[in-house]
């Protein structure tokens, strides 16, 4: 594939299904390992008309299916940071779940114009991260990991065609997450909120509170009911939490057009 040039090389990183030029702020959302931008397809209608939602699209999935998977967190963060600088004017905030939280944190560290808020969900902070080997397991071992984390994705992986479609990108993203080595640096001058599920088998409150070490601008922790994928069942509670953190009215535009 010929690499796109000019603005197109930036646009491939960010999907916006419901542009809101008059929005007060833009919320940039980062998928979990194996996830894609479409995972946030229902969010724009729930944040309108006050916030425009942009979903990050990693290489190797959906409209970027013909691109190789990213080699590491640095590649993802560099690409998104450059896209934000080129395409996103005005106020913005970052939300990332699981692997997406790590990428969002690295984007905040790189950004020439810092976000107003960083929300990290379902992910250990850099001081707690350790090397992992899940990406080296066979397919059944990878599915066992997803089953332990909960959510609905694991149930879909009983279908052989779905396994063949999803597991390569899950494995690639686990490799990215498990080989990530955070570099030391000054704390962010950006408020950070960590959100976790109370039954997440990988992230507990004690360890999640160490996200406070990544910022000099204020930290808080929110715990919602659920497992690692708590945000599926707790979507409305999470979006209400995000509206509060972004200083937006907690009102959903009920007649706002739905998104695909």
């Amino acid at each position: 594939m010929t690499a796109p040039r000019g603005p197109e090389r930036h646009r491939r990183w960010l999907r916006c299904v419901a542009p809101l030029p008059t929005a007060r702020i833009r919320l940039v959302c980062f998928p979990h390992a194996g996830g894609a931008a479409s995972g946030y397809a229902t969010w724009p209608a729930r944040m309108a008309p006050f916030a425009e939602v942009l979903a990050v699209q990693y290489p190797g999935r959906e409209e970027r299916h013909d691109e190789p998977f990213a080699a590491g967190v640095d590649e993802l963060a560099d690409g998104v940071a450059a896209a934000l600088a080129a395409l996103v004017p005005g106020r913005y905030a970052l939300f990332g779940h699981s692997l997406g939280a790590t990428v969002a944190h690295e984007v905040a560290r790189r950004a020439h114009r810092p976000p107003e808020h960083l929300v990290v969900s379902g992910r250990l902070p850099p001081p707690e991260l350790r090397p992992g080997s899940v990406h080296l397991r066979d397919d059944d071992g990878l599915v066992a990991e997803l089953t332990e984390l909960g959510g609905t994705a694991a149930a879909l992986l009983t279908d052989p065609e779905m396994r063949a479609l999803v597991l390569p990108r899950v494995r690639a993203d686990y490799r990215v997450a498990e080989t990530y080595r955070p570099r030391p640096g000054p704390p962010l001058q950006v408020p950070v909120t960590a959100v976790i599920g109370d039954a997440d088998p990988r992230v507990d409150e004690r360890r999640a509170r160490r996200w406070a070490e990544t910022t000099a601008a204020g930290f808080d922790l929110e715990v919602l009911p659920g497992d690692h994928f708590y945000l599926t069942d707790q979507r409305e509670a999470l979006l209400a939490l995000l509206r509060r953190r972004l200083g937006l009215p907690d009102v959903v535009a009920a007649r706002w057009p739905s998104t695909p």
Side-chain angles (χ1 to χ4, degrees):
M1 175 189 175
T2 302
R5 296 176 178 274
E8 187 57 35
R9 76 179 189 279
H10 299 307
R11 292 193 186 98
R12 59 184 176 160
W13 286 99
L14 299 174
R15 179 191 289 183
C16 182
V17 298
L20 281 175
T22 60
R24 297 182 188 179
I25 193 169
R26 290 171 174 81
L27 177 63
V28 182
C29 302
F30 295 72
H32 57 83
S38 60
Y40 292 105
T42 63
W43 284 32
R46 311 302 294 172
M47 296 298 286
F50 305 109
E52 180 184 77
V53 175
L54 299 98
V56 170
Q57 189 71 289
Y58 302 146
R61 61 213 72 199
E62 298 183 336
E63 70 270 22
R64 301 188 69 181
H65 67 89
D66 55 350
E67 298 180 42
F69 297 120
V73 168
D74 285 345
E75 180 181 336
L76 296 173
D78 287 345
V80 178
L84 290 176
L87 303 175
V88 177
R91 302 171 57 202
Y92 74 100
L94 306 178
F95 171 88
H97 180 66
S98 199
L99 170 63
T102 292
V103 182
H105 175 240
E106 284 292 344
V107 169
R109 298 177 78 185
R110 287 162 164 76
H112 294 296
R113 183 167 50 83
E116 292 202 1
H117 208 107
L118 170 64
V119 181
V120 287
S121 167
R123 181 66 167 164
L124 291 172
E128 290 283 346
L129 293 175
R130 301 290 182 270
S133 59
V134 173
H135 68 285
L136 299 175
R137 298 180 183 176
D138 61 16
D139 286 354
D140 288 341
L142 205 53
V143 171
E145 165 74 7
L146 299 179
T147 302
E148 184 175 353
L149 289 177
T152 58
L156 298 176
L157 295 177
T158 57
D159 178 76
E161 292 186 4
M162 187 62 69
R163 286 168 66 111
L165 177 66
V166 172
L167 288 186
R169 73 188 194 197
V170 171
R171 186 182 305 284
D173 287 353
Y174 262 80
R175 177 175 48 79
V176 165
E178 293 180 325
T179 59
Y180 167 65
R181 302 290 181 270
R183 289 185 288 271
L188 296 172
Q189 300 298 320
V190 174
V192 173
T193 295
V195 189
I196 64 171
D198 64 0
D200 191 324
R202 296 288 186 272
V203 188
D204 58 31
E205 289 189 44
R206 180 186 62 81
R207 303 172 80 189
R209 288 191 184 282
R210 295 198 68 187
W211 275 107
E213 301 172 22
T214 68
T215 179
F219 168 78
D220 67 325
L221 172 68
E222 296 278 355
V223 182
L224 295 176
D227 56 27
H228 185 69
F229 290 102
Y230 75 90
L231 65 176
T232 300
D233 292 336
Q234 296 296 321
R235 184 189 65 168
E236 296 306 321
L238 175 61
L239 293 178
L241 184 159
L242 291 173
R243 288 192 289 268
R244 291 195 298 273
R245 291 295 180 276
L246 302 182
L248 303 176
D250 195 16
V251 175
V252 175
R255 295 183 180 178
W256 197 261
S258 61
T259 55

